[in-house]
PDB file of all heavy atoms in Angstrom:
ATOM      1  N   MET A 768     103.848 104.363 112.550  1.00 94.00           N
ATOM      2  CA  MET A 768     104.987 105.101 112.011  1.00 94.00           C
ATOM      3  C   MET A 768     105.057 106.520 112.578  1.00 94.00           C
ATOM      4  O   MET A 768     106.144 107.022 112.871  1.00 94.00           O
ATOM      5  CB  MET A 768     104.937 105.135 110.481  1.00 94.00           C
ATOM      6  CG  MET A 768     105.234 103.803 109.835  1.00 94.00           C
ATOM      7  SD  MET A 768     106.804 103.049 110.338  1.00 94.00           S
ATOM      8  CE  MET A 768     107.977 104.245 109.750  1.00 94.00           C
ATOM      9  N   ARG A 769     103.915 107.176 112.751  1.00 94.00           N
ATOM     10  CA  ARG A 769     103.918 108.521 113.343  1.00 94.00           C
ATOM     11  C   ARG A 769     104.474 108.478 114.763  1.00 94.00           C
ATOM     12  O   ARG A 769     105.294 109.307 115.151  1.00 94.00           O
ATOM     13  CB  ARG A 769     102.511 109.102 113.348  1.00 94.00           C
ATOM     14  CG  ARG A 769     102.031 109.557 112.011  1.00 94.00           C
ATOM     15  CD  ARG A 769     100.714 110.338 112.169  1.00 94.00           C
ATOM     16  NE  ARG A 769      99.992 110.440 110.929  1.00 94.00           N
ATOM     17  CZ  ARG A 769     100.297 111.271 109.943  1.00 94.00           C
ATOM     18  NH1 ARG A 769     101.324 112.067 110.064  1.00 94.00           N
ATOM     19  NH2 ARG A 769      99.579 111.297 108.846  1.00 94.00           N
ATOM     20  N   GLU A 770     104.012 107.512 115.552  1.00 96.00           N
ATOM     21  CA  GLU A 770     104.495 107.387 116.926  1.00 96.00           C
ATOM     22  C   GLU A 770     105.977 107.026 116.956  1.00 96.00           C
ATOM     23  O   GLU A 770     106.743 107.578 117.746  1.00 96.00           O
ATOM     24  CB  GLU A 770     103.681 106.326 117.671  1.00 96.00           C
ATOM     25  CG  GLU A 770     102.247 106.728 117.917  1.00 96.00           C
ATOM     26  CD  GLU A 770     101.413 105.591 118.473  1.00 96.00           C
ATOM     27  OE1 GLU A 770     101.978 104.526 118.827  1.00 96.00           O
ATOM     28  OE2 GLU A 770     100.173 105.758 118.539  1.00 96.00           O
ATOM     29  N   TRP A 771     106.385 106.114 116.105  1.00 94.00           N
ATOM     30  CA  TRP A 771     107.781 105.679 116.080  1.00 94.00           C
ATOM     31  C   TRP A 771     108.709 106.822 115.678  1.00 94.00           C
ATOM     32  O   TRP A 771     109.765 107.014 116.271  1.00 94.00           O
ATOM     33  CB  TRP A 771     107.931 104.498 115.121  1.00 94.00           C
ATOM     34  CG  TRP A 771     109.230 103.788 115.284  1.00 94.00           C
ATOM     35  CD1 TRP A 771     109.534 102.839 116.210  1.00 94.00           C
ATOM     36  CD2 TRP A 771     110.414 103.987 114.504  1.00 94.00           C
ATOM     37  NE1 TRP A 771     110.828 102.434 116.049  1.00 94.00           N
ATOM     38  CE2 TRP A 771     111.395 103.113 115.008  1.00 94.00           C
ATOM     39  CE3 TRP A 771     110.719 104.804 113.433  1.00 94.00           C
ATOM     40  CZ2 TRP A 771     112.661 103.049 114.470  1.00 94.00           C
ATOM     41  CZ3 TRP A 771     111.989 104.733 112.900  1.00 94.00           C
ATOM     42  CH2 TRP A 771     112.948 103.868 113.418  1.00 94.00           C
ATOM     43  N   MET A 772     108.301 107.594 114.664  1.00 94.00           N
ATOM     44  CA  MET A 772     109.120 108.731 114.234  1.00 94.00           C
ATOM     45  C   MET A 772     109.172 109.808 115.319  1.00 94.00           C
ATOM     46  O   MET A 772     110.189 110.488 115.469  1.00 94.00           O
ATOM     47  CB  MET A 772     108.594 109.308 112.927  1.00 94.00           C
ATOM     48  CG  MET A 772     108.827 108.409 111.731  1.00 94.00           C
ATOM     49  SD  MET A 772     110.539 108.082 111.372  1.00 94.00           S
ATOM     50  CE  MET A 772     110.930 109.494 110.368  1.00 94.00           C
ATOM     51  N   ALA A 773     108.094 109.966 116.078  1.00 95.00           N
ATOM     52  CA  ALA A 773     108.110 110.940 117.178  1.00 95.00           C
ATOM     53  C   ALA A 773     109.085 110.509 118.274  1.00 95.00           C
ATOM     54  O   ALA A 773     109.756 111.347 118.888  1.00 95.00           O
ATOM     55  CB  ALA A 773     106.705 111.104 117.750  1.00 95.00           C
ATOM     56  N   LYS A 774     109.195 109.197 118.501  1.00 96.00           N
ATOM     57  CA  LYS A 774     110.113 108.681 119.525  1.00 96.00           C
ATOM     58  C   LYS A 774     111.556 108.608 119.032  1.00 96.00           C
ATOM     59  O   LYS A 774     112.479 108.580 119.828  1.00 96.00           O
ATOM     60  CB  LYS A 774     109.669 107.281 119.968  1.00 96.00           C
ATOM     61  CG  LYS A 774     108.372 107.275 120.723  1.00 96.00           C
ATOM     62  CD  LYS A 774     107.967 105.854 121.074  1.00 96.00           C
ATOM     63  CE  LYS A 774     106.593 105.824 121.706  1.00 96.00           C
ATOM     64  NZ  LYS A 774     106.131 104.446 121.927  1.00 96.00           N
ATOM     65  N   HIS A 775     111.760 108.552 117.720  1.00 94.00           N
ATOM     66  CA  HIS A 775     113.090 108.428 117.128  1.00 94.00           C
ATOM     67  C   HIS A 775     113.315 109.530 116.083  1.00 94.00           C
ATOM     68  O   HIS A 775     113.365 109.251 114.885  1.00 94.00           O
ATOM     69  CB  HIS A 775     113.265 107.055 116.457  1.00 94.00           C
ATOM     70  CG  HIS A 775     113.078 105.917 117.394  1.00 94.00           C
ATOM     71  ND1 HIS A 775     111.851 105.319 117.586  1.00 94.00           N
ATOM     72  CD2 HIS A 775     113.950 105.270 118.184  1.00 94.00           C
ATOM     73  CE1 HIS A 775     111.986 104.345 118.458  1.00 94.00           C
ATOM     74  NE2 HIS A 775     113.253 104.286 118.853  1.00 94.00           N
ATOM     75  N   PRO A 776     113.474 110.774 116.503  1.00 92.00           N
ATOM     76  CA  PRO A 776     113.613 111.869 115.532  1.00 92.00           C
ATOM     77  C   PRO A 776     114.892 111.786 114.698  1.00 92.00           C
ATOM     78  O   PRO A 776     114.945 112.339 113.602  1.00 92.00           O
ATOM     79  CB  PRO A 776     113.602 113.131 116.404  1.00 92.00           C
ATOM     80  CG  PRO A 776     113.944 112.678 117.766  1.00 92.00           C
ATOM     81  CD  PRO A 776     113.494 111.252 117.873  1.00 92.00           C
ATOM     82  N   GLU A 777     115.890 111.068 115.168  1.00 93.00           N
ATOM     83  CA  GLU A 777     117.145 110.932 114.412  1.00 93.00           C
ATOM     84  C   GLU A 777     116.947 110.145 113.115  1.00 93.00           C
ATOM     85  O   GLU A 777     117.734 110.261 112.173  1.00 93.00           O
ATOM     86  CB  GLU A 777     118.232 110.265 115.261  1.00 93.00           C
ATOM     87  CG  GLU A 777     118.006 108.800 115.563  1.00 93.00           C
ATOM     88  CD  GLU A 777     117.042 108.490 116.701  1.00 93.00           C
ATOM     89  OE1 GLU A 777     116.533 109.425 117.340  1.00 93.00           O
ATOM     90  OE2 GLU A 777     116.825 107.295 116.942  1.00 93.00           O
ATOM     91  N   GLU A 778     115.877 109.382 113.033  1.00 93.00           N
ATOM     92  CA  GLU A 778     115.613 108.584 111.839  1.00 93.00           C
ATOM     93  C   GLU A 778     115.175 109.426 110.649  1.00 93.00           C
ATOM     94  O   GLU A 778     115.237 108.968 109.515  1.00 93.00           O
ATOM     95  CB  GLU A 778     114.565 107.507 112.122  1.00 93.00           C
ATOM     96  CG  GLU A 778     115.057 106.404 113.013  1.00 93.00           C
ATOM     97  CD  GLU A 778     116.217 105.627 112.425  1.00 93.00           C
ATOM     98  OE1 GLU A 778     116.224 105.381 111.199  1.00 93.00           O
ATOM     99  OE2 GLU A 778     117.110 105.273 113.187  1.00 93.00           O
ATOM    100  N   GLN A 779     114.755 110.652 110.894  1.00 92.00           N
ATOM    101  CA  GLN A 779     114.331 111.508 109.786  1.00 92.00           C
ATOM    102  C   GLN A 779     115.509 111.796 108.858  1.00 92.00           C
ATOM    103  O   GLN A 779     115.352 111.798 107.639  1.00 92.00           O
ATOM    104  CB  GLN A 779     113.735 112.801 110.305  1.00 92.00           C
ATOM    105  CG  GLN A 779     113.085 113.622 109.217  1.00 92.00           C
ATOM    106  CD  GLN A 779     112.257 114.753 109.770  1.00 92.00           C
ATOM    107  OE1 GLN A 779     112.247 115.008 110.964  1.00 92.00           O
ATOM    108  NE2 GLN A 779     111.555 115.431 108.899  1.00 92.00           N
ATOM    109  N   SER A 780     116.695 112.003 109.427  1.00 92.00           N
ATOM    110  CA  SER A 780     117.867 112.250 108.570  1.00 92.00           C
ATOM    111  C   SER A 780     118.224 110.987 107.780  1.00 92.00           C
ATOM    112  O   SER A 780     118.601 111.079 106.602  1.00 92.00           O
ATOM    113  CB  SER A 780     119.056 112.716 109.397  1.00 92.00           C
ATOM    114  OG  SER A 780     119.459 111.709 110.300  1.00 92.00           O
ATOM    115  N   GLU A 781     118.086 109.817 108.380  1.00 91.00           N
ATOM    116  CA  GLU A 781     118.330 108.562 107.660  1.00 91.00           C
ATOM    117  C   GLU A 781     117.313 108.372 106.540  1.00 91.00           C
ATOM    118  O   GLU A 781     117.656 107.902 105.458  1.00 91.00           O
ATOM    119  CB  GLU A 781     118.266 107.376 108.619  1.00 91.00           C
ATOM    120  CG  GLU A 781     119.438 107.278 109.559  1.00 91.00           C
ATOM    121  CD  GLU A 781     120.739 107.042 108.822  1.00 91.00           C
ATOM    122  OE1 GLU A 781     120.772 106.202 107.896  1.00 91.00           O
ATOM    123  OE2 GLU A 781     121.731 107.701 109.182  1.00 91.00           O
ATOM    124  N   GLN A 782     116.082 108.750 106.806  1.00 90.00           N
ATOM    125  CA  GLN A 782     115.032 108.635 105.802  1.00 90.00           C
ATOM    126  C   GLN A 782     115.354 109.539 104.613  1.00 90.00           C
ATOM    127  O   GLN A 782     115.207 109.136 103.457  1.00 90.00           O
ATOM    128  CB  GLN A 782     113.695 109.021 106.431  1.00 90.00           C
ATOM    129  CG  GLN A 782     112.499 108.814 105.528  1.00 90.00           C
ATOM    130  CD  GLN A 782     111.202 109.234 106.199  1.00 90.00           C
ATOM    131  OE1 GLN A 782     111.181 110.151 107.013  1.00 90.00           O
ATOM    132  NE2 GLN A 782     110.132 108.548 105.856  1.00 90.00           N
ATOM    133  N   LYS A 783     115.823 110.747 104.886  1.00 89.00           N
ATOM    134  CA  LYS A 783     116.176 111.675 103.806  1.00 89.00           C
ATOM    135  C   LYS A 783     117.364 111.162 103.002  1.00 89.00           C
ATOM    136  O   LYS A 783     117.401 111.296 101.778  1.00 89.00           O
ATOM    137  CB  LYS A 783     116.472 113.056 104.375  1.00 89.00           C
ATOM    138  CG  LYS A 783     115.225 113.786 104.818  1.00 89.00           C
ATOM    139  CD  LYS A 783     115.547 115.165 105.328  1.00 89.00           C
ATOM    140  CE  LYS A 783     114.276 115.857 105.776  1.00 89.00           C
ATOM    141  NZ  LYS A 783     114.555 117.209 106.282  1.00 89.00           N
ATOM    142  N   LYS A 784     118.344 110.553 103.682  1.00 89.00           N
ATOM    143  CA  LYS A 784     119.496 109.982 102.968  1.00 89.00           C
ATOM    144  C   LYS A 784     119.049 108.857 102.038  1.00 89.00           C
ATOM    145  O   LYS A 784     119.513 108.746 100.907  1.00 89.00           O
ATOM    146  CB  LYS A 784     120.526 109.438 103.967  1.00 89.00           C
ATOM    147  CG  LYS A 784     121.371 110.477 104.612  1.00 89.00           C
ATOM    148  CD  LYS A 784     122.454 109.785 105.424  1.00 89.00           C
ATOM    149  CE  LYS A 784     122.709 110.510 106.704  1.00 89.00           C
ATOM    150  NZ  LYS A 784     123.614 109.783 107.599  1.00 89.00           N
ATOM    151  N   GLY A 785     118.169 107.998 102.523  1.00 87.00           N
ATOM    152  CA  GLY A 785     117.668 106.893 101.708  1.00 87.00           C
ATOM    153  C   GLY A 785     116.881 107.389 100.508  1.00 87.00           C
ATOM    154  O   GLY A 785     117.015 106.863  99.407  1.00 87.00           O
ATOM    155  N   ARG A 786     116.078 108.414 100.719  1.00 87.00           N
ATOM    156  CA  ARG A 786     115.314 108.968  99.599  1.00 87.00           C
ATOM    157  C   ARG A 786     116.250 109.575  98.565  1.00 87.00           C
ATOM    158  O   ARG A 786     116.073 109.372  97.362  1.00 87.00           O
ATOM    159  CB  ARG A 786     114.326 110.019 100.091  1.00 87.00           C
ATOM    160  CG  ARG A 786     113.528 110.610  98.960  1.00 87.00           C
ATOM    161  CD  ARG A 786     112.567 111.695  99.429  1.00 87.00           C
ATOM    162  NE  ARG A 786     112.036 112.377  98.281  1.00 87.00           N
ATOM    163  CZ  ARG A 786     110.859 112.111  97.735  1.00 87.00           C
ATOM    164  NH1 ARG A 786     110.103 111.165  98.230  1.00 87.00           N
ATOM    165  NH2 ARG A 786     110.452 112.773  96.683  1.00 87.00           N
ATOM    166  N   ALA A 787     117.257 110.289  99.012  1.00 86.00           N
ATOM    167  CA  ALA A 787     118.215 110.897  98.084  1.00 86.00           C
ATOM    168  C   ALA A 787     118.982 109.829  97.315  1.00 86.00           C
ATOM    169  O   ALA A 787     119.304 110.012  96.145  1.00 86.00           O
ATOM    170  CB  ALA A 787     119.170 111.803  98.844  1.00 86.00           C
ATOM    171  N   LEU A 788     119.258 108.712  97.966  1.00 85.00           N
ATOM    172  CA  LEU A 788     119.998 107.635  97.330  1.00 85.00           C
ATOM    173  C   LEU A 788     119.210 107.004  96.186  1.00 85.00           C
ATOM    174  O   LEU A 788     119.754 106.710  95.125  1.00 85.00           O
ATOM    175  CB  LEU A 788     120.350 106.562  98.373  1.00 85.00           C
ATOM    176  CG  LEU A 788     121.094 105.345  97.879  1.00 85.00           C
ATOM    177  CD1 LEU A 788     122.496 105.731  97.425  1.00 85.00           C
ATOM    178  CD2 LEU A 788     121.175 104.306  98.977  1.00 85.00           C
ATOM    179  N   TRP A 789     117.896 106.815  96.378  1.00 83.00           N
ATOM    180  CA  TRP A 789     117.104 106.087  95.402  1.00 83.00           C
ATOM    181  C   TRP A 789     116.225 106.943  94.514  1.00 83.00           C
ATOM    182  O   TRP A 789     115.920 106.568  93.389  1.00 83.00           O
ATOM    183  CB  TRP A 789     116.221 105.052  96.108  1.00 83.00           C
ATOM    184  CG  TRP A 789     117.022 103.972  96.724  1.00 83.00           C
ATOM    185  CD1 TRP A 789     117.317 103.824  98.047  1.00 83.00           C
ATOM    186  CD2 TRP A 789     117.667 102.902  96.054  1.00 83.00           C
ATOM    187  NE1 TRP A 789     118.089 102.728  98.231  1.00 83.00           N
ATOM    188  CE2 TRP A 789     118.327 102.124  97.030  1.00 83.00           C
ATOM    189  CE3 TRP A 789     117.748 102.508  94.731  1.00 83.00           C
ATOM    190  CZ2 TRP A 789     119.046 101.001  96.712  1.00 83.00           C
ATOM    191  CZ3 TRP A 789     118.481 101.376  94.406  1.00 83.00           C
ATOM    192  CH2 TRP A 789     119.113 100.635  95.407  1.00 83.00           C
ATOM    193  N   TRP A 790     115.739 108.103  94.980  1.00 81.00           N
ATOM    194  CA  TRP A 790     114.707 108.828  94.239  1.00 81.00           C
ATOM    195  C   TRP A 790     115.124 110.195  93.741  1.00 81.00           C
ATOM    196  O   TRP A 790     114.818 110.561  92.626  1.00 81.00           O
ATOM    197  CB  TRP A 790     113.452 108.983  95.100  1.00 81.00           C
ATOM    198  CG  TRP A 790     112.851 107.668  95.416  1.00 81.00           C
ATOM    199  CD1 TRP A 790     112.927 107.004  96.598  1.00 81.00           C
ATOM    200  CD2 TRP A 790     112.110 106.820  94.535  1.00 81.00           C
ATOM    201  NE1 TRP A 790     112.278 105.806  96.506  1.00 81.00           N
ATOM    202  CE2 TRP A 790     111.764 105.667  95.255  1.00 81.00           C
ATOM    203  CE3 TRP A 790     111.713 106.932  93.223  1.00 81.00           C
ATOM    204  CZ2 TRP A 790     111.021 104.639  94.691  1.00 81.00           C
ATOM    205  CZ3 TRP A 790     110.979 105.907  92.664  1.00 81.00           C
ATOM    206  CH2 TRP A 790     110.641 104.780  93.406  1.00 81.00           C
ATOM    207  N   ASP A 791     115.720 111.003  94.574  1.00 79.00           N
ATOM    208  CA  ASP A 791     115.983 112.402  94.223  1.00 79.00           C
ATOM    209  C   ASP A 791     117.232 112.518  93.369  1.00 79.00           C
ATOM    210  O   ASP A 791     118.317 112.839  93.841  1.00 79.00           O
ATOM    211  CB  ASP A 791     116.118 113.250  95.491  1.00 79.00           C
ATOM    212  CG  ASP A 791     114.831 113.285  96.290  1.00 79.00           C
ATOM    213  OD1 ASP A 791     113.773 113.079  95.699  1.00 79.00           O
ATOM    214  OD2 ASP A 791     114.895 113.529  97.498  1.00 79.00           O
ATOM    215  N   LYS A 792     117.079 112.268  92.092  1.00 82.00           N
ATOM    216  CA  LYS A 792     118.197 112.319  91.153  1.00 82.00           C
ATOM    217  C   LYS A 792     118.005 113.481  90.186  1.00 82.00           C
ATOM    218  O   LYS A 792     116.931 113.628  89.598  1.00 82.00           O
ATOM    219  CB  LYS A 792     118.295 111.023  90.332  1.00 82.00           C
ATOM    220  CG  LYS A 792     118.437 109.779  91.172  1.00 82.00           C
ATOM    221  CD  LYS A 792     119.826 109.686  91.711  1.00 82.00           C
ATOM    222  CE  LYS A 792     119.967 108.364  92.455  1.00 82.00           C
ATOM    223  NZ  LYS A 792     121.174 108.241  93.150  1.00 82.00           N
ATOM    224  N   PRO A 793     119.036 114.309  90.013  1.00 83.00           N
ATOM    225  CA  PRO A 793     118.902 115.385  89.024  1.00 83.00           C
ATOM    226  C   PRO A 793     118.885 114.815  87.609  1.00 83.00           C
ATOM    227  O   PRO A 793     119.562 113.834  87.314  1.00 83.00           O
ATOM    228  CB  PRO A 793     120.153 116.236  89.249  1.00 83.00           C
ATOM    229  CG  PRO A 793     121.119 115.327  89.905  1.00 83.00           C
ATOM    230  CD  PRO A 793     120.324 114.314  90.670  1.00 83.00           C
ATOM    231  N   GLN A 794     118.087 115.422  86.732  1.00 82.00           N
ATOM    232  CA  GLN A 794     118.000 114.976  85.347  1.00 82.00           C
ATOM    233  C   GLN A 794     118.201 116.171  84.429  1.00 82.00           C
ATOM    234  O   GLN A 794     117.663 117.242  84.670  1.00 82.00           O
ATOM    235  CB  GLN A 794     116.650 114.339  85.063  1.00 82.00           C
ATOM    236  CG  GLN A 794     116.449 113.041  85.778  1.00 82.00           C
ATOM    237  CD  GLN A 794     115.164 112.367  85.353  1.00 82.00           C
ATOM    238  OE1 GLN A 794     114.451 112.845  84.497  1.00 82.00           O
ATOM    239  NE2 GLN A 794     114.872 111.245  85.968  1.00 82.00           N
ATOM    240  N   SER A 795     118.946 115.949  83.384  1.00 90.00           N
ATOM    241  CA  SER A 795     119.178 117.009  82.418  1.00 90.00           C
ATOM    242  C   SER A 795     118.080 117.006  81.359  1.00 90.00           C
ATOM    243  O   SER A 795     117.366 116.018  81.179  1.00 90.00           O
ATOM    244  CB  SER A 795     120.535 116.822  81.752  1.00 90.00           C
ATOM    245  OG  SER A 795     120.523 115.652  80.956  1.00 90.00           O
TER     246      SER A 795
END
Side-chain angles (χ1 to χ4, degrees):
M768 289 305 297
R769 285 190 198 283
E770 292 172 9
W771 194 82
M772 289 298 274
K774 292 177 186 174
H775 301 91
E777 70 280 358
E778 290 298 322
Q779 189 168 6
S780 63
E781 288 296 316
Q782 186 181 32
K783 286 182 181 180
K784 282 187 218 172
R786 180 182 169 98
L788 178 67
W789 293 103
W790 296 104
D791 296 336
K792 303 285 185 188
Q794 292 186 2
S795 67

